[in-house]
């Protein structure tokens, strides 16, 4: 631990932020690398003449911050950590950084099931860091879930995140293409969730550098029209869901209506396009018959 005066630290902090970047990213750097949480930071203003203890030197923190600013490397990857809902998750460049808007998927589940405690079986297809499944497994200890992904390395990170967040054993991780690893659970799921890759090819080619150069292409690109994976997931969902089972999908900002049509075509009912906090139809949900 390195000891430094609060005054010196606050001066240094102001200098770093004047170089660019946003407060939230800087706070993540301080929390994950220096060991200074947001509440520690708030206390500094009350005690400006005290001293603080840092896990790493200001020089090291500054080098990470400058790398972030100069190369657009996401701060979450540089720190190896992100915060999502109430979870602290490990992230590497193998996994998509879970987005704040995706947090609403969990709220949609809460809205459908409330605090029902009965047993229920869910699947998440394309779990990435494991964020959605871990949040559900923690919120509903009596539920059982299977989280899948096409990439075994991704599943290892998701599993590590689950072990670090929970002492439960109600979530399993299977590797394979969408529904394929779940063949033996046909007709068994009460609920399936997916935030699949849905960015259309042209949009993908023009994504900002901080996404396109650093986040996994396989987690983002949804084929020519962005709907390649959503189509496959919806078409096979009736084989795996119980009757009246729910399917919850995240989609691109303008895909809601098309996803709704795909659900209708595959005999889903109670279909609804759910807005995110910016009023964008980000999620499409439906029940199988
Ligand atoms: C948009 S990311 C979502 C990750 C995470 N669920 C979240 O919301 O942050 C899509 C995930 O689907 C996985 N994936 C891509 N193609 C897949 C496929 N054919 N079968 C299963 N998973 C796939 C990717 O590896 C990635 O982890």
């Amino acid at each position: 631990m390195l000891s430094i005066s609060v005054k010196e630290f606050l001066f240094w902090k102001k200098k770093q932020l004047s170089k660019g970047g946003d407060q939230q990213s800087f706070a993540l750097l301080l929390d994950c690398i220096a060991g200074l949480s947001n509440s520690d930071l708030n206390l500094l203003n009350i005690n400006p003449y005290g001293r603080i203890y840092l896990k790493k030197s200001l020089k090291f923190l500054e080098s990470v911050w400058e790398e972030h600013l100069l190369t657009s490397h996401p701060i979450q990857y540089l720190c190896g950590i992100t915060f999502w809902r109430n979870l602290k998750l490990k992230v590497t460049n193998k996994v998509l950084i879970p987005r704040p808007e995706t947090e609403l998927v969990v709220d949609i589940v809460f809205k459908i099931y409330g605090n029902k405690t009965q047993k229920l079986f869910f699947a998440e297809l394309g779990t990435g860091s494991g964020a959605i499944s871990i949040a559900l497994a923690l919120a509903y200890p009596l539920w059982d879930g299977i989280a899948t992904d096409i990439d075994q390395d991704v599943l290892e990170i998701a599993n590590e995140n689950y072990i670090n967040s929970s002492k439960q054993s109600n979530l399993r991780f299977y590797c394979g293409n969408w529904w394929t690893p779940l063949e033996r659970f046909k007709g068994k799921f009460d609920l399936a969730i997916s935030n699949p890759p849905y960015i259309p090819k042209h949009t993908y080619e023009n994504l900002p550098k901080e996404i396109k150069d650093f986040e996994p292409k396989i987690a983002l690109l949804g084929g020519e029209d962005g709907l390649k994976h959503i189509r496959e997931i919806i078409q096979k969902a009736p084989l795996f869901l119980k009757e009246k089972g729910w399917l919850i999908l995240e989609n691109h900002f303008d895909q809601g209506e098309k996803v709704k049509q795909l659900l209708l075509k595959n005999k889903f009912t109670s279909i609804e396009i759910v807005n995110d906090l910016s009023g964008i139809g980000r999620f499409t949900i439906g029940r199988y018959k």
Side-chain angles (χ1 to χ4, degrees):
M1 283 282 190
L2 299 155
S3 165
I4 168 179
S5 77
V6 169
K7 211 170 148 196
E8 189 189 343
F9 173 77
L10 291 176
F11 179 77
W12 172 86
K13 178 174 169 255
K14 197 168 164 193
K15 186 172 155 209
Q16 302 315 310
L17 281 168
S18 73
K19 295 176 184 169
D22 61 83
Q23 293 265 4
Q24 230 187 334
S25 301
F26 196 69
L28 185 75
L29 171 80
L30 293 179
D31 193 340
C32 299
I33 300 191
L36 267 187
S37 69
N38 262 332
S39 49
D40 294 334
L41 285 178
N42 291 335
L43 286 176
L44 297 187
N45 298 318
I46 302 170
N47 182 18
Y49 300 105
R51 295 190 74 76
I52 54 165
Y53 297 89
L54 305 174
K55 284 187 188 160
K56 294 278 179 190
S57 68
L58 294 184
K59 201 169 160 211
F60 180 76
L61 294 168
E62 190 167 337
S63 70
V64 177
W65 186 240
E66 284 183 347
E67 185 178 350
H68 165 63
L69 296 180
L70 292 174
T71 65
S72 301
H73 203 144
I75 195 76
Q76 295 89 338
Y77 288 148
L78 290 171
C79 296
I81 294 287
T82 196
F83 291 96
W84 191 86
R85 290 189 78 95
N86 54 350
L87 299 170
K88 187 175 181 179
L89 301 168
K90 173 178 170 176
V91 286
T92 71
N93 61 0
K94 288 269 176 191
V95 302
L96 188 91
I97 299 163
R99 303 297 201 264
E101 57 268 25
T102 304
E103 295 186 2
L104 284 178
V105 168
V106 179
D107 293 309
I108 294 172
V109 176
F110 288 169
K111 204 167 160 208
I112 294 174
Y113 294 98
N115 48 14
K116 270 189 193 155
T117 50
Q118 85 233 31
K119 272 190 166 297
L120 189 149
F121 191 31
F122 77 90
E124 189 206 353
L125 310 183
T127 194
S129 61
I132 298 171
S133 288
I134 296 170
L136 290 179
L138 288 176
Y140 295 101
L142 289 180
W143 289 14
D144 274 312
I146 298 183
T148 75
D149 207 283
I150 189 92
D151 186 335
Q152 185 58 39
D153 292 344
V154 165
L155 285 177
E156 271 156 34
I157 292 162
N159 190 28
E160 201 178 320
N161 281 329
Y162 178 52
I163 290 166
N164 290 339
S165 317
S166 159
K167 291 195 167 37
Q168 293 166 204
S169 54
N170 58 339
L171 186 60
R172 287 172 279 168
F173 298 91
Y174 286 13
C175 191
N177 181 54
W178 302 128
W179 295 102
T180 317
L182 305 173
E183 281 290 322
R184 66 192 156 103
F185 302 106
K186 276 187 171 157
K188 294 263 190 306
F189 291 105
D190 299 279
L191 165 68
I193 303 143
S194 187
N195 171 19
Y198 53 65
I199 312 273
K201 189 161 179 269
H202 177 72
T203 311
Y204 177 81
E205 300 302 341
N206 295 294
L207 281 177
K209 181 177 163 58
E210 63 267 26
I211 302 177
K212 189 160 177 259
D213 289 2
F214 297 97
E215 299 211 63
K217 186 175 183 182
I218 195 171
L220 294 162
L221 185 60
E224 203 61 46
D225 66 350
L227 292 166
K228 176 176 176 238
H229 299 294
I230 289 185
R231 238 178 247 118
E232 182 173 342
I233 291 169
I234 293 179
Q235 278 164 4
K236 296 196 180 138
L239 293 172
F240 291 85
L241 287 170
K242 282 184 187 165
E243 197 152 328
K244 296 282 177 209
W246 283 95
L247 179 63
I248 299 176
L249 293 166
E250 182 173 321
N251 49 255
H252 206 25
F253 70 95
D254 57 354
Q255 291 170 339
E257 201 47 52
K258 287 184 188 143
V259 178
K260 183 176 169 180
Q261 292 309 320
L262 284 168
L263 287 169
L264 277 171
K265 207 171 138 192
N266 287 277
K267 302 198 170 65
F268 279 78
T269 60
S270 311
I271 301 166
E272 201 187 320
I273 299 173
V274 182
N275 286 350
D276 64 15
L277 296 177
S278 322
I280 290 169
R282 171 83 51 195
F283 314 96
T284 312
I285 68 173
R287 293 186 103 166
Y288 180 57
K289 288 200 284 194

